[in-house]
Amino acid sequence: MSSMFDRRKIIKRYKVVAYAMLAVSMAILVKIIYIATVERSYWMAVASTLTKDSVDVKPVRGNILSCDGRLMASSLPEFRMFMDFKAGGEENETRDSLWEAKVDSICMGLHEIFPEKTAAEFKTHLEEGRAKGSRHWPVWRRRVSYDVFSEVKKLPIFCLSSNKGGFHYEKFNARQRPFGSLAKRTIGDLYGAKDTAQFGLELSYDSILRGKNGKIRRQRIRGENLNITQIDPVDGADIVTTIDVNMQDLAERSLVDELKKVDGNVGVAVVMEVKTGDVKAIVNMTKCADGEYYEIKNSAVSDLLEPGSVFKTASLMVALDDGVVDTTYKVDTGCGIWDMYGAKMRDHNWHRGGYQVLTLPQTLEYSSNIGVSRIIDKYYGKTPEKFVQGLDRVGIREDLKLPIVGYAPPRIRMPKKNKRGQYVNWSKTALPWMSIGYETQVPPISTLTFYNAIANGGKMMRPRFVKAVMKDGQVIKEYQPEVIKQSICKEKTLREITTILEHVVSQGLGKKAGSQSFKVAGKTGTAQISKGVSGYKSGTMNYLLSFVGFFPADAPRYSCIVCIQKPGLPASSGFSALVFHNIAEGIMAQSLKLDVTDARDSLSVLVPDVKGGDMNAARQVLAGLGINTYLDWNAAASKGLPVWGTARMNRSGVTLNKGRQLANDIVPDVKGMGARDAVYILESRGVKVRLHGRGKVTAQSLAPGCKIKKGDVCTLKLEI
């Protein structure tokens, strides 16, 4: 046998065969990788043109609308355009000659559509693809809208079929937001070209917005591929949100302006409609590397931070509702530092000697840590579980079950005992610090929901983000306002807490949130932010500055929370209170409906001028207009008649206003007037006017009653 087979020769042959097979395998593998990566888009396009038994047809994704029907997210087609320089076969001389004749016209047309690139640059780019014989050469690197795509498709060669001219495209259903990044984290977004939701309402209501795929069967008849519909696609339905675009824009601008002033890292602002729980605006801003603020996280629903002093309202509500204290209760806060089981509790003014003795309402008005913690520790220190059960009762621990991916419910632990009756997750300092907003984690949306319940007469509403689902203009499903708790406390407790919150703004630490036009109730909050395992004492301290409240306090329509996270001092809740003030003032100004009579200036003359003539006839006309006439101004004033309802005539028949002789050469007193009226009166007498400030005139540089000289200039100071 050994003479018949030469082992060495056979092994050499085996090696040659093995190496050849390995080389072929490697070549095949390289080709597979090349097709799967470089040529993937082309072959996918080719595959889509081949006859299949059935092909999925994607539906149009539904729109997301604001509360008044404005588009906040919509699907629009976008295209990427390519050239196949081998269309019609390798030796297609007709195509090549046509290309040579039309390439300059094509490039000039492309330059007119895309002016940022010259015709010469387009020609160089396209000729490069032609030289490489590419079958999928991009005409333009980015996606284009349908209008732009239609213009490109009219150009020479591009207007031919893909088999003849080589021009082909990929179509995408791109998600567009007409209002840009407004409420982006709440509205949501899709992953690039895929119809796959990333976050927000896009993800939460994906099954409604997406619709259902249809199917077509492709059949070749007489040399042509015909599409025969088997199942029609069902387009997605629209969802109508509770977001008010105007309020959202107002809240975003107010918050970002303040964040820039105080160099804040994160800012949150949420506006809720009291009666329904509708979220009218929700802003989540984070400072990024470029120093600008963007919505990259829905902090309002997901941030679990210690809320600080805004939590004190819930603590005292529990105590008042249990009847262990009343509003006359007094507590000694000492010099601003109090020993709590070996730990030092401080009030914000401890370096100024503290508040000494405070009544219960004053502990909230001045946000006394010592006052609130001593009250709660005295009556619940031995039974802390009773206090936490009270927090359950008032709703601050409620899981709101919001339809926003990433929502985190509050985390406020319940004391637990072992078999020997000892607390296993509790310490003596836990309750005092929990009562003032530490050792708890509550997202801003939960804090706002609690305060909204106070504004709503004790009825707690679940925050609502979507009102209805619509299809073809018809409402097919409604999401009604949902009550979580009919009452969070007794009526007496609610009245007392509401009054205290009004005093926080009118005479306490929340004055910056107040308004001269309407009443505001609310609570300030300042909390140090723990840095995880590093605790509260690692480098620069971070602070959470909050204000939460509702307006108008005597007939609440909206509640609002503003939270600002910032590093270092100064750390004042007044920053957040000022944002709240701007939002509240803006919302009330937008929704204010005035009677036409309210548009008048308080010092305007709203009676007709009575010229010289028959005074009896003048009186008859004025009486017909409902205007009383008196020869003496004092007589009218004594009857309590308003200025604009009385015409006073002197014996020569000239109308006077408030007893002043309207002489044209005397400087009038315009204090208290609006700018428009003051300027008109002064300039009508030849006096030039300069304005400083806005509002009503509080001072004028030319004294009233002085003789007017030619060229006089009067500077008016205006204040709100």
Side-chain angles (χ1 to χ4, degrees):
M1 293 291 292
S2 60
S3 62
M4 293 177 62
F5 298 100
D6 189 336
R7 181 180 178 81
R8 287 177 296 177
K9 290 182 179 179
I10 291 173
I11 293 299
K12 287 181 179 179
R13 290 170 184 168
Y14 278 152
K15 285 183 178 179
V16 171
V17 172
Y19 286 141
M21 292 178 65
L22 179 62
V24 172
S25 299
M26 290 297 294
I28 293 172
L29 181 61
V30 169
K31 186 64 175 178
I32 290 172
I33 294 173
Y34 181 79
I35 292 172
T37 56
V38 178
E39 294 186 344
R40 181 181 182 279
S41 298
Y42 168 74
W43 288 112
M44 291 293 289
V46 171
S48 66
T49 64
L50 298 178
T51 302
K52 298 180 182 179
D53 289 339
S54 62
V55 179
D56 285 340
V57 180
K58 288 188 176 182
V60 176
R61 190 175 180 87
N63 300 316
I64 298 179
L65 309 173
S66 68
C67 64
D68 57 354
R70 288 193 269 184
L71 275 175
M72 299 197 77
S74 181
S75 290
L76 296 174
E78 288 186 346
F79 302 83
R80 287 197 68 195
M81 304 171 293
F82 304 91
M83 269 299 293
D84 177 3
F85 289 103
K86 291 185 178 179
E90 294 280 350
E91 306 298 330
N92 191 336
E93 295 182 3
T94 303
R95 180 203 61 210
D96 291 340
S97 59
L98 184 61
W99 176 263
E100 294 290 347
K102 298 294 185 181
V103 64
D104 290 332
S105 299
I106 292 172
C107 294
M108 185 58 68
L110 289 173
H111 166 64
E112 291 177 358
I113 297 171
F114 306 103
E116 54 264 52
K117 198 169 185 177
T118 65
E121 288 173 332
F122 271 114
K123 186 172 183 179
T124 301
H125 171 69
L126 293 175
E127 288 293 355
E128 180 185 352
R130 184 165 176 253
K132 292 179 179 180
S134 174
R135 307 208 67 164
H136 201 61
W137 190 255
V139 175
W140 185 245
R141 295 290 182 184
R142 297 188 297 273
R143 295 188 204 171
V144 299
S145 66
Y146 177 77
D147 291 339
V148 174
F149 169 75
S150 299
E151 291 299 314
V152 173
K153 207 170 183 315
K154 293 177 183 178
L155 297 176
I157 299 182
F158 291 0
C159 61
L160 302 176
S161 67
S162 58
N163 290 333
K164 292 181 180 180
F167 178 78
H168 57 284
Y169 58 89
E170 294 176 0
K171 182 180 178 181
F172 306 91
N173 279 326
R175 205 64 167 163
Q176 301 289 336
R177 289 187 300 274
F179 293 100
S181 62
L182 206 67
K184 178 181 177 181
R185 290 305 302 188
T186 303
I187 297 303
D189 205 352
L190 305 182
Y191 283 106
K194 301 178 182 178
D195 187 20
T196 305
Q198 291 190 65
F199 51 81
L201 298 177
E202 291 275 20
L203 182 56
S204 302
Y205 292 85
D206 184 59
S207 60
I208 293 173
L209 293 165
R210 178 185 294 275
K212 294 181 180 179
N213 286 350
K215 285 189 179 295
I216 61 171
R217 180 166 56 87
R218 286 180 175 168
Q219 185 172 344
R220 194 169 184 83
I221 300 176
R222 294 181 181 180
E224 293 185 7
N225 291 328
L226 298 180
N227 294 331
I228 300 175
T229 301
Q230 292 180 312
I231 302 174
D232 288 322
V234 179
D235 291 341
D238 302 337
I239 60 172
V240 182
T241 70
T242 59
I243 301 295
D244 183 297
V245 172
N246 294 331
M247 292 187 191
Q248 180 74 28
D249 181 57
L250 170 66
E252 184 173 308
R253 285 187 287 107
S254 301
L255 181 62
V256 171
D257 286 347
E258 191 66 19
L259 283 170
K260 290 179 178 178
K261 290 178 184 177
V262 303
D263 193 28
N265 294 327
V266 179
V268 167
V270 186
V271 178
M272 187 180 292
E273 192 172 64
V274 168
K275 297 300 181 184
T276 61
D278 285 359
V279 177
K280 309 304 291 184
I282 177 167
V283 184
N284 301 274
M285 288 295 171
T286 302
K287 188 177 183 180
C288 296
D290 61 357
E292 295 299 320
Y293 293 89
Y294 304 98
E295 287 213 344
I296 61 174
K297 180 186 177 185
N298 204 327
S299 302
V301 302
S302 63
D303 273 7
L304 287 171
L305 297 174
E306 294 169 316
S309 297
V310 295
F311 193 84
K312 294 173 183 175
T313 303
S315 297
L316 291 187
M317 178 181 282
V318 171
L320 287 168
D321 211 44
D322 284 340
V324 297
V325 291
D326 58 26
T327 54
T328 64
Y329 184 87
K330 293 183 179 180
V331 58
D332 185 10
T333 65
C335 62
I337 303 177
W338 200 276
D339 183 83
M340 285 285 186
Y341 306 103
K344 298 296 184 184
M345 176 80 73
R346 286 181 169 85
D347 276 342
H348 67 91
N349 70 334
W350 65 270
H351 56 285
R352 295 195 297 270
Y355 288 115
Q356 306 302 322
V357 177
L358 293 175
T359 63
L360 183 142
Q362 287 175 328
T363 62
L364 270 191
E365 290 171 24
Y366 303 130
S367 200
S368 171
N369 294 332
I370 297 172
V372 173
S373 61
R374 287 202 67 204
I375 291 172
I376 299 303
D377 185 63
K378 179 177 180 179
Y379 294 101
Y380 299 96
K382 294 182 180 179
T383 56
E385 61 273 18
K386 186 178 179 182
F387 174 72
V388 180
Q389 289 167 359
L391 295 178
D392 278 337
R393 187 175 66 247
V394 302
I396 194 69
R397 287 184 81 212
E398 191 74 26
D399 183 353
L400 302 177
K401 299 178 181 177
L402 300 183
I404 301 290
V405 176
Y407 159 71
R411 295 178 185 174
I412 303 174
R413 70 181 187 276
M414 175 68 77
K416 295 179 182 178
K417 293 181 178 179
N418 58 21
K419 294 179 180 179
R420 297 188 299 274
Q422 299 171 323
Y423 288 109
V424 295
N425 65 336
W426 207 256
S427 65
K428 288 186 176 181
T429 60
L431 186 63
W433 263 263
M434 177 182 283
S435 68
I436 62 172
Y438 289 93
E439 299 206 16
T440 64
Q441 293 180 314
V442 183
I445 193 73
S446 293
T447 302
L448 177 61
T449 301
F450 167 68
Y451 277 83
N452 192 79
I454 297 173
N456 197 28
K459 184 184 293 186
M460 180 172 281
M461 307 299 296
R462 193 181 309 281
R464 185 169 65 154
F465 291 86
V466 174
K467 295 198 297 184
V469 178
M470 298 183 67
K471 191 71 179 288
D472 300 324
Q474 300 296 319
V475 175
I476 60 175
K477 184 177 182 180
E478 286 190 84
Y479 297 91
Q480 298 293 338
E482 187 177 348
V483 179
I484 301 176
K485 286 179 175 289
Q486 283 292 341
S487 180
I488 62 173
C489 63
K490 300 171 185 173
E491 289 186 13
K492 179 175 179 292
T493 304
L494 191 70
R495 288 195 302 270
E496 292 169 343
I497 286 292
T498 302
T499 301
I500 295 172
L501 293 178
E502 288 183 26
H503 290 169
V504 169
V505 177
S506 63
Q507 57 196 40
L509 297 181
K511 289 180 180 178
K512 288 187 178 180
S515 170
Q516 294 182 352
S517 305
F518 50 89
K519 289 184 179 180
V520 174
K523 181 70 183 74
T524 58
T526 303
Q528 296 177 357
I529 299 177
S530 173
K531 297 184 178 180
V533 294
S534 302
Y536 295 93
K537 298 180 179 180
S538 60
T540 303
M541 181 63 66
N542 287 332
Y543 295 90
L544 177 64
L545 314 173
S546 307
F547 186 90
V548 57
F550 46 90
F551 57 93
D554 47 359
R557 295 174 60 187
Y558 299 101
S559 59
C560 176
I561 187 169
V562 178
C563 302
I564 293 176
Q565 296 179 38
K566 74 176 293 290
L569 299 172
S572 168
S573 55
F575 300 146
S576 296
L578 185 59
V579 177
F580 180 100
H581 164 83
N582 292 334
I583 292 173
E585 288 273 351
I587 289 175
M588 293 303 290
Q590 288 176 2
S591 60
L592 198 60
K593 294 182 179 179
L594 296 174
D595 186 86
V596 67
T597 57
D598 295 328
R600 61 181 169 231
D601 188 282
S602 61
L603 298 182
S604 294
V605 181
L606 298 181
V607 294
D609 289 335
V610 182
K611 305 299 180 181
D614 187 342
M615 293 180 65
N616 291 326
R619 285 195 184 94
Q620 186 177 355
V621 172
L622 291 170
L625 294 172
I627 300 172
N628 295 311
T629 56
Y630 293 88
L631 289 176
D632 182 24
W633 170 265
N634 293 326
S638 66
K639 294 180 180 292
L641 292 170
V643 176
W644 49 84
T646 305
R648 181 193 177 206
M649 298 181 293
N650 63 13
R651 296 197 182 277
S652 60
V654 179
T655 302
L656 304 180
N657 183 27
K658 285 196 173 180
R660 300 181 208 155
Q661 182 69 33
L662 300 182
N664 288 330
D665 58 349
I666 300 296
V667 176
D669 184 0
V670 295
K671 289 192 289 292
M673 292 187 181
R676 183 176 57 184
D677 288 345
V679 171
Y680 173 78
I681 291 174
L682 287 167
E683 291 191 346
S684 66
R685 303 185 186 193
V687 179
K688 293 183 179 179
V689 180
R690 292 177 183 168
L691 300 176
H692 290 289
R694 57 194 180 102
K696 292 192 175 183
V697 179
T698 57
Q700 59 185 92
S701 61
L702 295 181
C706 293
K707 192 85 169 176
I708 295 175
K709 300 176 183 177
K710 188 175 181 180
D712 273 350
V713 177
C714 185
T715 301
L716 303 180
K717 182 180 179 182
L718 295 89
E719 293 180 349
I720 297 177

